[in-house]
Amino acid sequence: MVMTPVRYNGLLVNGWLSKLEIVAECQRRFERGPFFSEMGRLQKYRKSCRQRKHVDEGYCCIQRKKERSAVEWCRKNQTLINMSCSRQHVSPSAGSCSSCRSASSSRCAPTTSCQRKGNTPSSCELLEMMERANDGEPNQEDEVFPNLYLGNAYAAMDRENLRCIGITHILNAAHDTGEVITDACYYKGMPITYKGFQIFDEPGFKVRSFFCPAAKFIDEALRCPRSKILVHCCVTGVSRGATLVLAYLMLYKNMSLKEAVCKVVSKRYIRPNDGFLEELRTLDMEK
């Protein structure tokens, strides 16, 4: 017996199928379609973002605990450090970081990054300033300077929020690193000028070469009337983007490193990695 094809709800199915089987066949074909595939990809991406956020937040909490213990160690052992430095005929440093503990225990002078050079604060002093202003997890974005926002990847991906704030320029410090999916095409159709720098959040990465072009882009954006710029990096938004904002304030607003840090941490918690802090200290000493 020949089975007659039957058209049901726009689909050509076998005539011997029951109504329940026809509905199942429609569902199966729908799930193979482009809409379902796109929704599946979107759900997978959101899940990966949530997992990455949890991992990054956990890592951030561990790092802050280590930093607080380092600051506490410096505060408690300041007298011992000064006595050790005087025995070695070295001027006492204003503090000591974790890289200097082994040196002080072996009666050696603290490392260069722990010593104050003129008005440039030591790494330990900068760390203490940042931890003192820490009031929990940072927001998606904060206005750290008039019309200058510092945020994370979630702030950069929220197009509706960008429209509400009035963002006209975006500087991505984690462009093409695999951590953020935004690029110039992501903001197509929006009045946003995009600029990206491929910076990796590693202490050994030479971020100094990005100070001038990033600061120039921020300055040009803020010179435009009614313009607002968002500088961001990855999930937490406390290291790479913060480093570029500090460099801008030092290069174009004639601030010292200490003044720039105080200005930013009054609005948002930041924590550039140790290598980036040393690059900023070098910039401050050369001014």
Side-chain angles (χ1 to χ4, degrees):
M1 183 179 291
V2 179
M3 292 179 290
T4 307
V6 177
R7 185 171 297 276
Y8 177 81
N9 200 19
L11 294 175
L12 192 65
V13 297
N14 199 304
W16 288 101
L17 295 177
S18 66
K19 187 174 182 180
L20 186 62
E21 290 172 326
I22 290 175
V23 173
E25 177 68 13
C26 294
Q27 180 67 19
R28 186 178 66 80
R29 296 193 185 187
F30 171 72
E31 290 179 354
R32 285 160 141 198
F35 174 77
F36 185 84
S37 301
E38 185 64 28
M39 289 297 294
R41 282 196 295 269
L42 182 59
Q43 288 173 357
K44 286 182 180 179
Y45 174 74
R46 286 176 176 170
K47 183 178 179 181
S48 65
C49 284
R50 287 195 298 269
Q51 291 174 345
R52 186 186 301 170
K53 182 180 179 182
H54 293 157
V55 171
D56 288 348
E57 286 178 352
Y59 173 78
C60 207
C61 291
I62 293 172
Q63 287 295 104
R64 289 176 186 173
K65 287 180 181 177
K66 290 181 181 179
E67 290 158 7
R68 289 193 190 100
S69 62
V71 171
E72 202 61 37
W73 187 93
C74 294
R75 197 178 289 119
K76 290 180 180 178
N77 295 275
Q78 184 64 49
T79 306
L80 181 61
I81 295 168
N82 292 343
M83 290 174 61
S84 175
C85 292
S86 61
R87 289 194 191 102
Q88 296 294 325
H89 305 289
V90 179
S91 58
S93 61
S96 175
C97 63
S98 57
S99 62
C100 185
R101 297 182 200 175
S102 58
S104 62
S105 62
S106 59
R107 295 188 178 182
C108 295
T111 55
T112 305
S113 63
C114 298
Q115 296 178 358
R116 172 185 284 273
K117 292 276 187 85
N119 294 325
T120 300
S122 65
S123 298
C124 191
E125 287 178 308
L126 293 172
L127 181 63
E128 189 170 2
M129 290 166 57
M130 295 173 189
E131 284 303 314
R132 197 184 304 127
N134 181 17
D135 56 353
E137 291 298 323
N139 300 320
Q140 278 195 2
E141 75 284 325
D142 293 288
E143 190 175 11
V144 296
F145 195 74
N147 297 329
L148 172 56
Y149 290 78
L150 178 59
N152 56 23
Y154 299 107
M157 294 168 60
D158 192 346
R159 301 183 217 191
E160 188 60 34
N161 188 46
L162 294 176
R163 289 192 186 96
C164 292
I165 297 174
I167 297 297
T168 58
H169 295 72
I170 288 182
L171 175 58
N172 181 5
H175 176 76
D176 203 21
T177 60
E179 301 171 72
V180 190
I181 64 169
T182 58
D183 53 16
C185 296
Y186 186 83
Y187 304 106
K188 188 175 181 180
M190 298 179 65
I192 289 180
T193 303
Y194 177 87
K195 184 77 171 179
F197 294 110
Q198 190 181 38
I199 302 175
F200 294 94
D201 192 13
E202 300 169 357
F205 186 85
K206 301 300 181 185
V207 72
R208 177 70 184 272
S209 59
F210 296 96
F211 285 173
C212 288
K216 183 179 178 182
F217 179 77
I218 295 173
D219 184 65
E220 289 176 351
L222 294 179
R223 285 179 182 273
C224 300
R226 296 186 298 278
S227 292
K228 294 181 180 181
I229 181 170
L230 170 68
V231 182
H232 75 92
C233 45
C234 63
V235 177
T236 53
V238 298
S239 181
R240 286 168 280 189
T243 300
L244 297 183
V245 169
L246 292 173
Y248 161 74
L249 294 176
M250 294 168 65
L251 291 172
Y252 281 85
K253 298 303 175 183
N254 200 28
M255 292 186 186
S256 65
L257 177 56
K258 186 175 181 179
E259 292 171 339
V261 170
C262 288
K263 181 69 175 177
V264 175
V265 298
S266 65
K267 303 293 184 179
R268 179 183 179 84
Y269 171 75
I270 60 172
R271 178 57 177 98
N273 68 52
D274 294 339
F276 292 178
L277 278 181
E278 191 58 31
E279 297 268 21
L280 290 169
R281 291 182 70 249
T282 303
L283 177 66
D284 191 46
M285 287 184 282
E286 291 177 356
K287 285 182 67 180

